[in-house]
């Protein structure tokens, strides 16, 4: 049995510091860090290829140079939550979908709240773009990182689409 190494790195973004958790072959978690600790920056540590890839792709996204993430990821969630987030992952850059639309795509139009709950459990915000999922009335809905971050990400994508 092989042991999967875990690496933790941090990256400064326009929406704050993100903690990036990777294994030897995939990204597994992105967490919003509210108060940076003195260890919160990478101090020029050498990281594995997958961690370097994650940091690079996130920087490219915020610079407007990346619309699709190609980094492999793993979701350690229930099968339903995985299905929801795999559907959310298909929502294209600069586009939006409602919680209801995702529920219908999964074959259960009544699962709107469950779709919202699955989005709130998304361990990979930005990579799996749950910020692109909004209420059917056009409102932002919720976002685990805060609505200010969701609004920023939607605006960022709109800005780079317009160019």
């Amino acid at each position: 049995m092989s042991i999967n190494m875990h690496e933790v790195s941090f990256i400064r973004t326009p929406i704050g510091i993100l903690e990036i958790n990777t294994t030897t072959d995939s990204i597994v978690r992105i967490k919003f860090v509210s108060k940076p600790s003195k260890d919160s920056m990478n101090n020029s540590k050498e990281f594995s290829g997958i961690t370097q890839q994650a940091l690079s792709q996130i920087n490219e996204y915020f610079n407007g140079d990346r619309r699709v993430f190609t980094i492999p990821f793993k979701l350690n969630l229930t099968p339903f939550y995985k299905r929801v987030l795999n559907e959310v992952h298909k929502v294209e850059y600069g586009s939006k979908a409602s919680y209801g639309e995702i529920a219908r795509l999964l074959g259960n139009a009544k699962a709107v709240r469950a779709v919202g709950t699955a989005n709130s459990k998304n361990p990979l915000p930005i990579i799996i773009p749950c910020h692109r999922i909004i209420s059917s009335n056009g409102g932002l809905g919720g976002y685990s990182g805060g609505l200010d971050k969701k609004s920023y990400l939607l605006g960022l994508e709109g800005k780079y689409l317009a160019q």
Side-chain angles (χ1 to χ4, degrees):
M1 182 170 101
S2 70
I3 296 174
N4 241 348
M5 296 272 300
H6 268 284
E7 274 187 331
V8 177
S9 59
F10 297 87
I11 184 170
R12 272 189 209 282
T13 73
I15 58 170
I17 295 173
L18 302 177
E19 176 184 307
I20 312 297
N21 291 259
T22 56
T23 64
T24 50
D25 60 359
S26 59
I27 185 167
V28 292
R29 192 166 131 218
I30 296 175
K31 182 178 166 189
F32 296 103
V33 178
S34 54
K35 288 189 179 169
S37 67
K38 61 182 176 184
D39 309 330
S40 286
M41 297 329 307
N42 297 328
N43 302 331
S44 69
K45 180 182 173 202
E46 289 295 315
F47 287 108
S48 69
I50 202 80
T51 300
Q52 291 290 1
Q53 189 180 351
L55 296 171
S56 175
Q57 288 191 19
I58 289 167
N59 267 328
E60 290 165 0
Y61 170 80
F62 280 106
N63 291 334
D65 298 325
R66 175 169 294 277
R67 294 183 178 193
V68 176
F69 289 94
T70 57
I71 187 163
F73 62 84
K74 281 204 180 99
L75 296 172
N76 187 18
L77 298 167
T78 67
F80 177 76
Y81 287 177
K82 280 184 189 175
R83 282 182 51 225
V84 170
L85 294 178
N86 282 323
E87 208 55 56
V88 168
H89 189 246
K90 296 175 191 172
V91 178
E92 293 182 3
Y93 185 94
S95 299
K96 295 179 200 128
S98 72
Y99 298 99
E101 288 173 282
I102 299 295
R104 282 190 293 284
L105 286 168
L106 294 170
N108 185 352
K110 294 180 179 173
V112 175
R113 288 184 102 119
V115 166
T117 301
N119 266 317
S120 74
K121 307 272 189 224
N122 180 4
L124 293 169
I126 302 165
I127 305 279
I128 297 177
C130 56
H131 62 275
R132 297 179 190 150
I133 310 304
I134 60 169
S135 297
S136 55
N137 66 7
L140 286 180
Y143 192 64
S144 61
L147 291 182
D148 56 330
K149 290 175 176 63
K150 183 172 188 169
S151 182
Y152 180 90
L153 293 169
L154 291 170
L156 174 81
E157 293 182 11
K159 172 182 150 190
Y160 286 118
L161 269 182
Q163 291 180 348

